[in-house]
Amino acid sequence: MKKIYDPDPEDVIEWAKSELDEWPASDWDYYVMNGKNDNLVFELADNKKHAKFYFFLHSLYYLVGDYFNEKNKNLKKEERINNLLAKVNELSSTHIKEWMMNTQDLFNGKLNFDPEFWLNYMFYDDIKKLKNKKIDSRSR
């Protein structure tokens, strides 16, 4: 891989095709969503048969979460999100359609922004379970 911290589509495809489940860097979702890979990420997230589709779906959620988490909204990032939303159609997977609906609801104020959900989509259920275990252990 040429650039772990600024990957281009070639780098992303190399990792996507590899046998490695581990991310090349701890913030790989952030690095992948650098603006160079949006269409590729969308395609890979829309292909549930791809072994790493869930990472790429997570990366779409991460992009939206990163945008909403910023104090000063980045209009370029908003444009990128809108371009990705425009790619959703009747042939898109249910996961992609759900991402679109959640994103639109967030933009329209129908959802409150939960950074834990949007920035950690891939791990959100595990985070909730861990929090519930901590709460349960304190109540004993």
Side-chain angles (χ1 to χ4, degrees):
M1 191 173 304
K2 300 178 311 284
K3 300 179 202 167
I4 289 176
Y5 301 107
D6 189 25
D8 61 18
E10 254 181 45
D11 295 320
V12 174
I13 289 169
E14 181 181 330
W15 178 75
K17 288 183 175 181
S18 76
E19 299 285 324
L20 298 173
D21 284 332
E22 301 85 34
W23 297 5
S26 63
D27 292 329
W28 183 237
D29 46 2
Y30 172 77
Y31 300 128
V32 165
M33 296 312 295
N34 61 10
K36 298 176 186 177
N37 307 302
D38 293 354
N39 291 329
L40 176 60
V41 168
F42 182 89
E43 289 172 26
L44 293 169
D46 198 23
N47 180 0
K48 194 171 180 180
K49 291 181 182 174
H50 189 282
K52 296 176 182 164
F53 98 94
Y54 201 57
F55 166 81
F56 294 106
L57 179 64
H58 159 80
S59 296
L60 293 176
Y61 276 91
Y62 184 89
L63 174 64
V64 176
D66 190 40
Y67 169 79
F68 275 90
N69 205 40
E70 295 172 338
K71 289 187 185 354
N72 299 318
K73 299 297 182 245
N74 179 326
L75 296 179
K76 181 78 172 152
K77 198 172 283 182
E78 183 177 352
E79 182 181 328
R80 290 172 51 209
I81 293 166
N82 286 326
N83 288 337
L84 289 167
L85 290 170
K87 294 174 70 69
V88 181
N89 61 42
E90 65 278 350
L91 299 176
S92 297
S93 70
T94 55
H95 290 88
I96 289 293
K97 290 176 184 174
E98 184 177 328
W99 168 78
M100 178 193 71
M101 289 186 296
N102 286 336
T103 301
Q104 289 174 332
D105 285 350
L106 189 59
F107 270 99
N108 293 327
K110 294 179 183 176
L111 275 180
N112 290 325
F113 176 62
D114 176 359
E116 211 163 76
F117 173 79
W118 289 91
L119 295 169
N120 300 298
Y121 179 80
M122 191 173 193
F123 312 105
Y124 186 68
D125 289 336
D126 292 334
I127 291 169
K128 283 190 341 188
K129 286 177 191 172
L130 184 62
K131 281 186 173 184
N132 288 339
K133 281 184 181 179
K134 286 181 181 178
I135 291 169
D136 288 345
S137 68
R138 285 187 214 143
S139 62
R140 291 181 188 177

